[in-house]
Amino acid sequence: MKWCSAKLILKTLGLRSGGIEVVSCPTCGRTSIDLIGLANQVENLVADYEDLNIKVAVMGCVVNGPGEAKEADLGIAGGNGEGLLIKKGEIIKKVPEDQLLSVLEEELKNWGK
């Protein structure tokens, strides 16, 4: 079992708190990015931020993604070569799709500052 999976199980059972929770949409016909690959990259990225207790959404399209991510503290939504950074339900910026991870990482580094 991977370390991240073990942490998730402990968190789910209420035996561990803190850390970033990553949620993702289930995909649909509008998904035009490798959502599973992107979600996996986000999971790896957030593993280094155990001191943050926030929710990060990874959405597969820029049409429904912002609305679906409104419950998350941070979110990204990608599609058609571009992506959106979402913070507390608001679209913060539009970036090229290949910059989604770096933009998310920058937000994580500055969270709460």
Side-chain angles (χ1 to χ4, degrees):
M1 181 184 312
K2 287 181 170 180
W3 176 246
C4 286
S5 299
K7 287 193 296 188
L8 179 59
I9 291 169
L10 291 173
K11 194 170 183 178
T12 302
L13 293 173
L15 300 173
R16 180 179 192 280
S17 62
I20 297 176
E21 176 186 0
V22 177
V23 296
S24 179
C25 68
T27 73
C28 69
R30 288 190 172 154
T31 304
S32 62
I33 62 169
D34 175 14
L35 182 63
I36 294 170
L38 181 60
N40 286 334
Q41 289 177 309
V42 171
E43 283 279 352
N44 290 332
L45 173 68
V46 302
D48 294 333
Y49 294 90
E50 291 185 20
D51 56 329
L52 295 180
N53 189 17
I54 62 173
K55 184 183 285 189
V56 174
V58 182
M59 300 294 132
C61 77
V62 296
V63 176
N64 292 335
E68 292 176 6
K70 69 181 175 187
E71 300 299 319
D73 298 293
L74 284 175
I76 53 174
N80 296 326
E82 61 189 24
L84 302 174
L85 174 68
I86 305 154
K87 189 172 185 179
K88 302 280 189 184
E90 300 292 325
I91 297 171
I92 301 301
K93 66 170 86 172
K94 186 178 189 179
V95 297
E97 184 180 325
D98 63 353
Q99 293 179 17
L100 278 172
L101 279 176
S102 60
V103 167
L104 178 61
E105 184 173 24
E106 194 61 33
E107 287 294 320
L108 291 172
K109 285 179 184 176
N110 294 309
W111 189 261
K113 291 182 179 177

